[in-house]
Amino acid sequence: MNRQYVALLANGDPIHYSDRKQWWWLLSVAFPLLPLVGIVAHAWSGYQIALGLPLLVSYGFMPLLDYLLGEDVNNPPEALVPQLQEDRYYRWLTWLTVPLHFVALIGCAWWAATQVSSWWAFVLLAYVIGTGSGLGINTGHELGHKHNRFEQWLAKLVLAVPVYGHFTVEHGQGHHRWVATPHDHASSRMGESIYRFALRELPGGIRRAWQLEKERLAKTGQPTWGWHNEMLQSYGIAIVLQLGLMASFGWVMVPFLMIHNMVAWWQLTSANYVEHYGLLRDQLENGKYESPQPHHSWNANHTVSNLALFHLQRHSDHHAHPSRRYQSLRHFENLPQLPSGYFGMFPLAYIPSLWFKVMDPRLMALPHVNGDLKRVNMAPHRSAELMARYGHP
């Protein structure tokens, strides 16, 4: 049975709450193992194409379920959020997910080296586990925002799977500071395709993280190239992991891991692209930007994909309150809302003409934008075209 949370309101009346999704959060724990379903299907059927079954589940079945089951707009009562935050059950789920990312990668690497024969099936399996390991960045995202050493280390550990050790430094100190401004390489601009965005976002994240970590270490008197460098700690684990796979399964792991790593990075780029597309914070008279508000992120309340992603898609509340744990994230009315969950939005983003057709009118219709391009984070190379199309309010 679900745990009951009880508190007293200011007037003395009791308030009760039970998280109806408590056991459904196990979907976020199990989801990183989805690539292994393709291996089981391949072993059972003998058809190599069965290795692609996880892609069908993620990008076909999940968006369909999101559409059929609709959105979840329920919020926990604010008076009970402190109890919900302290319930260790929810923490154990994120902790348990960390080793499962390693299990999935090692299992797929073993299968690729010992069973897969066709080159295209080899590439397919590497791509599938790359999408799964991209979810490791989501796990690291949830853990990396927590202010205790244990969960910070778990974040570094899981980020070693996709070799994305700079993420926690860059995301917390860089992206959250500059989100929804022209200065943030991880905030996509109106009229910018995901492919052009990737050329900014991928190298920009590494450069900014390195500079931030270099500055932090300098303040403590530590060398940049040393064990105290939090980026290098995660990268060191990644090197041990991937060299271990090469030593165990041979040189065939070199192309396998290259594809895996690039696809995992592409997963984060896809998430960053859809989360803040075209949204812009107001610049104040002193030159600083207003604090991030819920309307500076695109939100998605779609039930199934949120259960598989530790509520990542309630991104609006996350940016307004970064340390709030996933089970406590809230829905707000009148926010920028995506028409589908991330598994439906990613493929749409990969076809820029369709993305612009769906998202640009939605962006311009937002209440705080009200058709005014001055309130939009716009791609400079598309400014003349967008001005001609949308003009002034």
PDB file of all heavy atoms in Angstrom, residues 17-51:
ATOM      1  N   TYR A  17      -2.254  12.948   2.267  1.00  0.00           N
ATOM      2  CA  TYR A  17      -1.808  12.791   0.873  1.00  0.00           C
ATOM      3  C   TYR A  17      -1.168  11.420   0.702  1.00  0.00           C
ATOM      4  O   TYR A  17      -0.431  10.948   1.576  1.00  0.00           O
ATOM      5  CB  TYR A  17      -0.798  13.877   0.496  1.00  0.00           C
ATOM      6  CG  TYR A  17      -0.198  13.688  -0.885  1.00  0.00           C
ATOM      7  CD1 TYR A  17      -0.940  13.930  -2.026  1.00  0.00           C
ATOM      8  CD2 TYR A  17       1.130  13.269  -1.031  1.00  0.00           C
ATOM      9  CE1 TYR A  17      -0.388  13.765  -3.295  1.00  0.00           C
ATOM     10  CE2 TYR A  17       1.693  13.106  -2.284  1.00  0.00           C
ATOM     11  CZ  TYR A  17       0.927  13.356  -3.410  1.00  0.00           C
ATOM     12  OH  TYR A  17       1.471  13.173  -4.655  1.00  0.00           O
ATOM     13  N   SER A  18      -1.470  10.807  -0.424  1.00  0.00           N
ATOM     14  CA  SER A  18      -0.840   9.541  -0.791  1.00  0.00           C
ATOM     15  C   SER A  18      -0.372   9.645  -2.244  1.00  0.00           C
ATOM     16  O   SER A  18      -1.145  10.055  -3.120  1.00  0.00           O
ATOM     17  CB  SER A  18      -1.843   8.387  -0.651  1.00  0.00           C
ATOM     18  OG  SER A  18      -1.260   7.169  -1.083  1.00  0.00           O
ATOM     19  N   ASP A  19       0.881   9.342  -2.489  1.00  0.00           N
ATOM     20  CA  ASP A  19       1.438   9.404  -3.842  1.00  0.00           C
ATOM     21  C   ASP A  19       0.949   8.198  -4.639  1.00  0.00           C
ATOM     22  O   ASP A  19       1.434   7.082  -4.466  1.00  0.00           O
ATOM     23  CB  ASP A  19       2.971   9.425  -3.774  1.00  0.00           C
ATOM     24  CG  ASP A  19       3.609   9.549  -5.158  1.00  0.00           C
ATOM     25  OD1 ASP A  19       2.874   9.756  -6.132  1.00  0.00           O
ATOM     26  OD2 ASP A  19       4.848   9.445  -5.235  1.00  0.00           O
ATOM     27  N   ARG A  20      -0.003   8.429  -5.530  1.00  0.00           N
ATOM     28  CA  ARG A  20      -0.548   7.336  -6.322  1.00  0.00           C
ATOM     29  C   ARG A  20       0.475   6.746  -7.287  1.00  0.00           C
ATOM     30  O   ARG A  20       0.293   5.647  -7.796  1.00  0.00           O
ATOM     31  CB  ARG A  20      -1.767   7.832  -7.118  1.00  0.00           C
ATOM     32  CG  ARG A  20      -2.953   8.259  -6.249  1.00  0.00           C
ATOM     33  CD  ARG A  20      -4.112   8.721  -7.099  1.00  0.00           C
ATOM     34  NE  ARG A  20      -3.726   9.855  -7.936  1.00  0.00           N
ATOM     35  CZ  ARG A  20      -4.502  10.363  -8.885  1.00  0.00           C
ATOM     36  NH1 ARG A  20      -5.679   9.830  -9.149  1.00  0.00           N
ATOM     37  NH2 ARG A  20      -4.078  11.401  -9.602  1.00  0.00           N
ATOM     38  N   LYS A  21       1.557   7.472  -7.526  1.00  0.00           N
ATOM     39  CA  LYS A  21       2.595   7.008  -8.452  1.00  0.00           C
ATOM     40  C   LYS A  21       3.761   6.337  -7.724  1.00  0.00           C
ATOM     41  O   LYS A  21       4.777   6.015  -8.365  1.00  0.00           O
ATOM     42  CB  LYS A  21       3.114   8.190  -9.275  1.00  0.00           C
ATOM     43  CG  LYS A  21       2.054   8.849 -10.139  1.00  0.00           C
ATOM     44  CD  LYS A  21       2.595  10.047 -10.888  1.00  0.00           C
ATOM     45  CE  LYS A  21       2.861  11.212  -9.967  1.00  0.00           C
ATOM     46  NZ  LYS A  21       3.224  12.449 -10.705  1.00  0.00           N
ATOM     47  N   GLN A  22       3.618   6.116  -6.427  1.00  0.00           N
ATOM     48  CA  GLN A  22       4.750   5.653  -5.624  1.00  0.00           C
ATOM     49  C   GLN A  22       5.417   4.420  -6.217  1.00  0.00           C
ATOM     50  O   GLN A  22       6.646   4.365  -6.354  1.00  0.00           O
ATOM     51  CB  GLN A  22       4.291   5.376  -4.198  1.00  0.00           C
ATOM     52  CG  GLN A  22       5.439   5.013  -3.257  1.00  0.00           C
ATOM     53  CD  GLN A  22       4.974   4.856  -1.828  1.00  0.00           C
ATOM     54  OE1 GLN A  22       3.915   4.297  -1.573  1.00  0.00           O
ATOM     55  NE2 GLN A  22       5.744   5.353  -0.873  1.00  0.00           N
ATOM     56  N   TRP A  23       4.631   3.424  -6.563  1.00  0.00           N
ATOM     57  CA  TRP A  23       5.210   2.192  -7.117  1.00  0.00           C
ATOM     58  C   TRP A  23       5.495   2.309  -8.595  1.00  0.00           C
ATOM     59  O   TRP A  23       6.360   1.602  -9.118  1.00  0.00           O
ATOM     60  CB  TRP A  23       4.294   1.001  -6.824  1.00  0.00           C
ATOM     61  CG  TRP A  23       4.121   0.787  -5.352  1.00  0.00           C
ATOM     62  CD1 TRP A  23       3.005   1.031  -4.588  1.00  0.00           C
ATOM     63  CD2 TRP A  23       5.126   0.329  -4.439  1.00  0.00           C
ATOM     64  NE1 TRP A  23       3.239   0.754  -3.265  1.00  0.00           N
ATOM     65  CE2 TRP A  23       4.537   0.312  -3.138  1.00  0.00           C
ATOM     66  CE3 TRP A  23       6.448  -0.069  -4.574  1.00  0.00           C
ATOM     67  CZ2 TRP A  23       5.239  -0.079  -2.008  1.00  0.00           C
ATOM     68  CZ3 TRP A  23       7.147  -0.456  -3.439  1.00  0.00           C
ATOM     69  CH2 TRP A  23       6.538  -0.468  -2.184  1.00  0.00           C
ATOM     70  N   TRP A  24       4.818   3.218  -9.272  1.00  0.00           N
ATOM     71  CA  TRP A  24       5.060   3.402 -10.702  1.00  0.00           C
ATOM     72  C   TRP A  24       6.414   4.045 -10.974  1.00  0.00           C
ATOM     73  O   TRP A  24       6.931   3.957 -12.096  1.00  0.00           O
ATOM     74  CB  TRP A  24       3.946   4.237 -11.328  1.00  0.00           C
ATOM     75  CG  TRP A  24       2.665   3.487 -11.484  1.00  0.00           C
ATOM     76  CD1 TRP A  24       1.526   3.615 -10.744  1.00  0.00           C
ATOM     77  CD2 TRP A  24       2.392   2.453 -12.442  1.00  0.00           C
ATOM     78  NE1 TRP A  24       0.552   2.744 -11.173  1.00  0.00           N
ATOM     79  CE2 TRP A  24       1.062   2.012 -12.228  1.00  0.00           C
ATOM     80  CE3 TRP A  24       3.137   1.863 -13.466  1.00  0.00           C
ATOM     81  CZ2 TRP A  24       0.474   1.018 -12.988  1.00  0.00           C
ATOM     82  CZ3 TRP A  24       2.553   0.866 -14.234  1.00  0.00           C
ATOM     83  CH2 TRP A  24       1.244   0.446 -13.992  1.00  0.00           C
ATOM     84  N   TRP A  25       7.013   4.680  -9.945  1.00  0.00           N
ATOM     85  CA  TRP A  25       8.342   5.248 -10.148  1.00  0.00           C
ATOM     86  C   TRP A  25       9.385   4.172 -10.430  1.00  0.00           C
ATOM     87  O   TRP A  25      10.487   4.475 -10.909  1.00  0.00           O
ATOM     88  CB  TRP A  25       8.764   6.068  -8.931  1.00  0.00           C
ATOM     89  CG  TRP A  25       8.002   7.353  -8.763  1.00  0.00           C
ATOM     90  CD1 TRP A  25       7.213   7.704  -7.712  1.00  0.00           C
ATOM     91  CD2 TRP A  25       7.954   8.446  -9.686  1.00  0.00           C
ATOM     92  NE1 TRP A  25       6.679   8.956  -7.918  1.00  0.00           N
ATOM     93  CE2 TRP A  25       7.118   9.435  -9.120  1.00  0.00           C
ATOM     94  CE3 TRP A  25       8.542   8.699 -10.924  1.00  0.00           C
ATOM     95  CZ2 TRP A  25       6.842  10.644  -9.759  1.00  0.00           C
ATOM     96  CZ3 TRP A  25       8.271   9.898 -11.564  1.00  0.00           C
ATOM     97  CH2 TRP A  25       7.435  10.854 -10.984  1.00  0.00           C
ATOM     98  N   LEU A  26       9.053   2.931 -10.144  1.00  0.00           N
ATOM     99  CA  LEU A  26       9.978   1.832 -10.483  1.00  0.00           C
ATOM    100  C   LEU A  26      10.231   1.744 -11.982  1.00  0.00           C
ATOM    101  O   LEU A  26      11.219   1.144 -12.410  1.00  0.00           O
ATOM    102  CB  LEU A  26       9.421   0.505  -9.961  1.00  0.00           C
ATOM    103  CG  LEU A  26       9.459   0.323  -8.434  1.00  0.00           C
ATOM    104  CD1 LEU A  26       8.603  -0.870  -8.012  1.00  0.00           C
ATOM    105  CD2 LEU A  26      10.898   0.159  -7.957  1.00  0.00           C
ATOM    106  N   LEU A  27       9.337   2.355 -12.771  1.00  0.00           N
ATOM    107  CA  LEU A  27       9.561   2.383 -14.218  1.00  0.00           C
ATOM    108  C   LEU A  27      10.831   3.163 -14.546  1.00  0.00           C
ATOM    109  O   LEU A  27      11.572   2.789 -15.466  1.00  0.00           O
ATOM    110  CB  LEU A  27       8.354   3.011 -14.916  1.00  0.00           C
ATOM    111  CG  LEU A  27       8.389   3.063 -16.445  1.00  0.00           C
ATOM    112  CD1 LEU A  27       8.516   1.658 -17.033  1.00  0.00           C
ATOM    113  CD2 LEU A  27       7.133   3.752 -16.984  1.00  0.00           C
ATOM    114  N   SER A  28      11.115   4.219 -13.800  1.00  0.00           N
ATOM    115  CA  SER A  28      12.361   4.966 -14.006  1.00  0.00           C
ATOM    116  C   SER A  28      13.582   4.128 -13.672  1.00  0.00           C
ATOM    117  O   SER A  28      14.649   4.306 -14.266  1.00  0.00           O
ATOM    118  CB  SER A  28      12.365   6.236 -13.142  1.00  0.00           C
ATOM    119  OG  SER A  28      11.487   7.209 -13.634  1.00  0.00           O
ATOM    120  N   VAL A  29      13.442   3.218 -12.718  1.00  0.00           N
ATOM    121  CA  VAL A  29      14.540   2.339 -12.345  1.00  0.00           C
ATOM    122  C   VAL A  29      14.781   1.289 -13.425  1.00  0.00           C
ATOM    123  O   VAL A  29      15.926   1.017 -13.808  1.00  0.00           O
ATOM    124  CB  VAL A  29      14.253   1.653 -10.994  1.00  0.00           C
ATOM    125  CG1 VAL A  29      15.395   0.732 -10.596  1.00  0.00           C
ATOM    126  CG2 VAL A  29      14.012   2.697  -9.906  1.00  0.00           C
ATOM    127  N   ALA A  30      13.694   0.710 -13.925  1.00  0.00           N
ATOM    128  CA  ALA A  30      13.809  -0.381 -14.897  1.00  0.00           C
ATOM    129  C   ALA A  30      14.131   0.104 -16.302  1.00  0.00           C
ATOM    130  O   ALA A  30      14.702  -0.655 -17.104  1.00  0.00           O
ATOM    131  CB  ALA A  30      12.505  -1.190 -14.907  1.00  0.00           C
ATOM    132  N   PHE A  31      13.786   1.338 -16.618  1.00  0.00           N
ATOM    133  CA  PHE A  31      13.896   1.800 -18.004  1.00  0.00           C
ATOM    134  C   PHE A  31      15.315   1.719 -18.574  1.00  0.00           C
ATOM    135  O   PHE A  31      15.491   1.423 -19.764  1.00  0.00           O
ATOM    136  CB  PHE A  31      13.349   3.227 -18.118  1.00  0.00           C
ATOM    137  CG  PHE A  31      12.876   3.570 -19.509  1.00  0.00           C
ATOM    138  CD1 PHE A  31      11.801   2.905 -20.080  1.00  0.00           C
ATOM    139  CD2 PHE A  31      13.503   4.555 -20.247  1.00  0.00           C
ATOM    140  CE1 PHE A  31      11.367   3.210 -21.355  1.00  0.00           C
ATOM    141  CE2 PHE A  31      13.086   4.873 -21.526  1.00  0.00           C
ATOM    142  CZ  PHE A  31      12.002   4.198 -22.079  1.00  0.00           C
ATOM    143  N   PRO A  32      16.379   1.980 -17.792  1.00  0.00           N
ATOM    144  CA  PRO A  32      17.729   1.825 -18.348  1.00  0.00           C
ATOM    145  C   PRO A  32      18.050   0.408 -18.825  1.00  0.00           C
ATOM    146  O   PRO A  32      18.989   0.213 -19.605  1.00  0.00           O
ATOM    147  CB  PRO A  32      18.635   2.218 -17.176  1.00  0.00           C
ATOM    148  CG  PRO A  32      17.800   3.140 -16.361  1.00  0.00           C
ATOM    149  CD  PRO A  32      16.413   2.581 -16.449  1.00  0.00           C
ATOM    150  N   LEU A  33      17.281  -0.593 -18.366  1.00  0.00           N
ATOM    151  CA  LEU A  33      17.517  -1.973 -18.795  1.00  0.00           C
ATOM    152  C   LEU A  33      16.798  -2.313 -20.088  1.00  0.00           C
ATOM    153  O   LEU A  33      16.918  -3.438 -20.588  1.00  0.00           O
ATOM    154  CB  LEU A  33      17.062  -2.940 -17.689  1.00  0.00           C
ATOM    155  CG  LEU A  33      17.801  -2.842 -16.349  1.00  0.00           C
ATOM    156  CD1 LEU A  33      17.196  -3.811 -15.336  1.00  0.00           C
ATOM    157  CD2 LEU A  33      19.292  -3.109 -16.524  1.00  0.00           C
ATOM    158  N   LEU A  34      16.061  -1.356 -20.659  1.00  0.00           N
ATOM    159  CA  LEU A  34      15.307  -1.618 -21.883  1.00  0.00           C
ATOM    160  C   LEU A  34      16.166  -2.166 -23.023  1.00  0.00           C
ATOM    161  O   LEU A  34      15.700  -3.045 -23.764  1.00  0.00           O
ATOM    162  CB  LEU A  34      14.578  -0.346 -22.325  1.00  0.00           C
ATOM    163  CG  LEU A  34      13.676  -0.467 -23.552  1.00  0.00           C
ATOM    164  CD1 LEU A  34      12.560  -1.481 -23.311  1.00  0.00           C
ATOM    165  CD2 LEU A  34      13.098   0.907 -23.916  1.00  0.00           C
ATOM    166  N   PRO A  35      17.419  -1.701 -23.235  1.00  0.00           N
ATOM    167  CA  PRO A  35      18.234  -2.297 -24.306  1.00  0.00           C
ATOM    168  C   PRO A  35      18.402  -3.812 -24.187  1.00  0.00           C
ATOM    169  O   PRO A  35      18.557  -4.504 -25.198  1.00  0.00           O
ATOM    170  CB  PRO A  35      19.578  -1.573 -24.156  1.00  0.00           C
ATOM    171  CG  PRO A  35      19.215  -0.250 -23.576  1.00  0.00           C
ATOM    172  CD  PRO A  35      18.098  -0.548 -22.616  1.00  0.00           C
ATOM    173  N   LEU A  36      18.371  -4.331 -22.955  1.00  0.00           N
ATOM    174  CA  LEU A  36      18.505  -5.772 -22.784  1.00  0.00           C
ATOM    175  C   LEU A  36      17.282  -6.526 -23.300  1.00  0.00           C
ATOM    176  O   LEU A  36      17.367  -7.713 -23.631  1.00  0.00           O
ATOM    177  CB  LEU A  36      18.744  -6.095 -21.300  1.00  0.00           C
ATOM    178  CG  LEU A  36      19.982  -5.466 -20.657  1.00  0.00           C
ATOM    179  CD1 LEU A  36      20.125  -5.939 -19.214  1.00  0.00           C
ATOM    180  CD2 LEU A  36      21.241  -5.780 -21.449  1.00  0.00           C
ATOM    181  N   VAL A  37      16.136  -5.837 -23.395  1.00  0.00           N
ATOM    182  CA  VAL A  37      14.936  -6.452 -23.975  1.00  0.00           C
ATOM    183  C   VAL A  37      15.186  -6.790 -25.440  1.00  0.00           C
ATOM    184  O   VAL A  37      14.742  -7.833 -25.941  1.00  0.00           O
ATOM    185  CB  VAL A  37      13.727  -5.508 -23.823  1.00  0.00           C
ATOM    186  CG1 VAL A  37      12.514  -6.049 -24.578  1.00  0.00           C
ATOM    187  CG2 VAL A  37      13.388  -5.302 -22.356  1.00  0.00           C
ATOM    188  N   GLY A  38      15.913  -5.912 -26.151  1.00  0.00           N
ATOM    189  CA  GLY A  38      16.259  -6.197 -27.538  1.00  0.00           C
ATOM    190  C   GLY A  38      17.144  -7.427 -27.669  1.00  0.00           C
ATOM    191  O   GLY A  38      16.986  -8.234 -28.602  1.00  0.00           O
ATOM    192  N   ILE A  39      18.061  -7.604 -26.722  1.00  0.00           N
ATOM    193  CA  ILE A  39      18.927  -8.781 -26.736  1.00  0.00           C
ATOM    194  C   ILE A  39      18.111 -10.053 -26.513  1.00  0.00           C
ATOM    195  O   ILE A  39      18.300 -11.068 -27.202  1.00  0.00           O
ATOM    196  CB  ILE A  39      20.028  -8.639 -25.664  1.00  0.00           C
ATOM    197  CG1 ILE A  39      21.000  -7.542 -26.067  1.00  0.00           C
ATOM    198  CG2 ILE A  39      20.754  -9.954 -25.444  1.00  0.00           C
ATOM    199  CD1 ILE A  39      22.083  -7.274 -25.043  1.00  0.00           C
ATOM    200  N   VAL A  40      17.183  -9.990 -25.552  1.00  0.00           N
ATOM    201  CA  VAL A  40      16.323 -11.151 -25.293  1.00  0.00           C
ATOM    202  C   VAL A  40      15.473 -11.466 -26.527  1.00  0.00           C
ATOM    203  O   VAL A  40      15.326 -12.642 -26.903  1.00  0.00           O
ATOM    204  CB  VAL A  40      15.421 -10.884 -24.068  1.00  0.00           C
ATOM    205  CG1 VAL A  40      14.390 -11.994 -23.899  1.00  0.00           C
ATOM    206  CG2 VAL A  40      16.270 -10.751 -22.806  1.00  0.00           C
ATOM    207  N   ALA A  41      14.932 -10.439 -27.160  1.00  0.00           N
ATOM    208  CA  ALA A  41      14.115 -10.646 -28.357  1.00  0.00           C
ATOM    209  C   ALA A  41      14.948 -11.243 -29.490  1.00  0.00           C
ATOM    210  O   ALA A  41      14.479 -12.109 -30.242  1.00  0.00           O
ATOM    211  CB  ALA A  41      13.491  -9.322 -28.800  1.00  0.00           C
ATOM    212  N   HIS A  42      16.194 -10.797 -29.611  1.00  0.00           N
ATOM    213  CA  HIS A  42      17.100 -11.344 -30.636  1.00  0.00           C
ATOM    214  C   HIS A  42      17.404 -12.816 -30.357  1.00  0.00           C
ATOM    215  O   HIS A  42      17.357 -13.668 -31.252  1.00  0.00           O
ATOM    216  CB  HIS A  42      18.384 -10.519 -30.663  1.00  0.00           C
ATOM    217  CG  HIS A  42      19.411 -11.019 -31.618  1.00  0.00           C
ATOM    218  ND1 HIS A  42      20.761 -10.847 -31.415  1.00  0.00           N
ATOM    219  CD2 HIS A  42      19.297 -11.723 -32.795  1.00  0.00           C
ATOM    220  CE1 HIS A  42      21.431 -11.393 -32.412  1.00  0.00           C
ATOM    221  NE2 HIS A  42      20.568 -11.934 -33.262  1.00  0.00           N
ATOM    222  N   ALA A  43      17.718 -13.118 -29.095  1.00  0.00           N
ATOM    223  CA  ALA A  43      18.039 -14.499 -28.735  1.00  0.00           C
ATOM    224  C   ALA A  43      16.841 -15.418 -28.932  1.00  0.00           C
ATOM    225  O   ALA A  43      16.994 -16.562 -29.379  1.00  0.00           O
ATOM    226  CB  ALA A  43      18.508 -14.554 -27.280  1.00  0.00           C
ATOM    227  N   TRP A  44      15.653 -14.931 -28.627  1.00  0.00           N
ATOM    228  CA  TRP A  44      14.447 -15.753 -28.724  1.00  0.00           C
ATOM    229  C   TRP A  44      13.997 -15.953 -30.165  1.00  0.00           C
ATOM    230  O   TRP A  44      13.615 -17.065 -30.568  1.00  0.00           O
ATOM    231  CB  TRP A  44      13.329 -15.108 -27.915  1.00  0.00           C
ATOM    232  CG  TRP A  44      12.026 -15.844 -27.999  1.00  0.00           C
ATOM    233  CD1 TRP A  44      11.695 -17.009 -27.380  1.00  0.00           C
ATOM    234  CD2 TRP A  44      10.881 -15.471 -28.772  1.00  0.00           C
ATOM    235  NE1 TRP A  44      10.412 -17.386 -27.707  1.00  0.00           N
ATOM    236  CE2 TRP A  44       9.889 -16.448 -28.564  1.00  0.00           C
ATOM    237  CE3 TRP A  44      10.600 -14.382 -29.601  1.00  0.00           C
ATOM    238  CZ2 TRP A  44       8.637 -16.383 -29.181  1.00  0.00           C
ATOM    239  CZ3 TRP A  44       9.357 -14.318 -30.213  1.00  0.00           C
ATOM    240  CH2 TRP A  44       8.396 -15.310 -29.986  1.00  0.00           C
ATOM    241  N   SER A  45      14.067 -14.891 -30.987  1.00  0.00           N
ATOM    242  CA  SER A  45      13.531 -14.960 -32.350  1.00  0.00           C
ATOM    243  C   SER A  45      14.571 -15.335 -33.387  1.00  0.00           C
ATOM    244  O   SER A  45      14.236 -15.893 -34.433  1.00  0.00           O
ATOM    245  CB  SER A  45      12.920 -13.611 -32.728  1.00  0.00           C
ATOM    246  OG  SER A  45      13.935 -12.612 -32.846  1.00  0.00           O
ATOM    247  N   GLY A  46      15.827 -15.001 -33.114  1.00  0.00           N
ATOM    248  CA  GLY A  46      16.867 -15.224 -34.113  1.00  0.00           C
ATOM    249  C   GLY A  46      16.966 -14.110 -35.137  1.00  0.00           C
ATOM    250  O   GLY A  46      17.871 -14.118 -35.978  1.00  0.00           O
ATOM    251  N   TYR A  47      16.079 -13.128 -35.068  1.00  0.00           N
ATOM    252  CA  TYR A  47      16.092 -12.016 -36.021  1.00  0.00           C
ATOM    253  C   TYR A  47      16.899 -10.855 -35.438  1.00  0.00           C
ATOM    254  O   TYR A  47      16.593 -10.355 -34.350  1.00  0.00           O
ATOM    255  CB  TYR A  47      14.674 -11.546 -36.336  1.00  0.00           C
ATOM    256  CG  TYR A  47      13.852 -12.552 -37.099  1.00  0.00           C
ATOM    257  CD1 TYR A  47      12.817 -13.231 -36.474  1.00  0.00           C
ATOM    258  CD2 TYR A  47      14.112 -12.814 -38.440  1.00  0.00           C
ATOM    259  CE1 TYR A  47      12.051 -14.168 -37.170  1.00  0.00           C
ATOM    260  CE2 TYR A  47      13.359 -13.737 -39.145  1.00  0.00           C
ATOM    261  CZ  TYR A  47      12.334 -14.415 -38.501  1.00  0.00           C
ATOM    262  OH  TYR A  47      11.586 -15.342 -39.201  1.00  0.00           O
ATOM    263  N   GLN A  48      17.905 -10.413 -36.188  1.00  0.00           N
ATOM    264  CA  GLN A  48      18.755  -9.334 -35.701  1.00  0.00           C
ATOM    265  C   GLN A  48      18.008  -8.013 -35.575  1.00  0.00           C
ATOM    266  O   GLN A  48      18.334  -7.176 -34.733  1.00  0.00           O
ATOM    267  CB  GLN A  48      19.968  -9.169 -36.621  1.00  0.00           C
ATOM    268  CG  GLN A  48      20.905 -10.367 -36.593  1.00  0.00           C
ATOM    269  CD  GLN A  48      22.123 -10.180 -37.469  1.00  0.00           C
ATOM    270  OE1 GLN A  48      23.222  -9.985 -36.972  1.00  0.00           O
ATOM    271  NE2 GLN A  48      21.923 -10.214 -38.778  1.00  0.00           N
ATOM    272  N   ILE A  49      16.990  -7.822 -36.403  1.00  0.00           N
ATOM    273  CA  ILE A  49      16.220  -6.583 -36.344  1.00  0.00           C
ATOM    274  C   ILE A  49      15.536  -6.421 -34.985  1.00  0.00           C
ATOM    275  O   ILE A  49      15.194  -5.301 -34.576  1.00  0.00           O
ATOM    276  CB  ILE A  49      15.174  -6.554 -37.483  1.00  0.00           C
ATOM    277  CG1 ILE A  49      14.599  -5.136 -37.654  1.00  0.00           C
ATOM    278  CG2 ILE A  49      14.073  -7.560 -37.228  1.00  0.00           C
ATOM    279  CD1 ILE A  49      15.587  -4.097 -38.062  1.00  0.00           C
ATOM    280  N   ALA A  50      15.359  -7.527 -34.267  1.00  0.00           N
ATOM    281  CA  ALA A  50      14.727  -7.472 -32.948  1.00  0.00           C
ATOM    282  C   ALA A  50      15.554  -6.656 -31.958  1.00  0.00           C
ATOM    283  O   ALA A  50      15.028  -6.193 -30.949  1.00  0.00           O
ATOM    284  CB  ALA A  50      14.508  -8.884 -32.403  1.00  0.00           C
ATOM    285  N   LEU A  51      16.840  -6.450 -32.246  1.00  0.00           N
ATOM    286  CA  LEU A  51      17.675  -5.616 -31.390  1.00  0.00           C
ATOM    287  C   LEU A  51      17.150  -4.187 -31.325  1.00  0.00           C
ATOM    288  O   LEU A  51      17.431  -3.458 -30.375  1.00  0.00           O
ATOM    289  CB  LEU A  51      19.121  -5.619 -31.888  1.00  0.00           C
ATOM    290  CG  LEU A  51      19.877  -6.950 -31.775  1.00  0.00           C
ATOM    291  CD1 LEU A  51      21.172  -6.890 -32.565  1.00  0.00           C
ATOM    292  CD2 LEU A  51      20.159  -7.278 -30.306  1.00  0.00           C
TER     293      LEU A  51
END
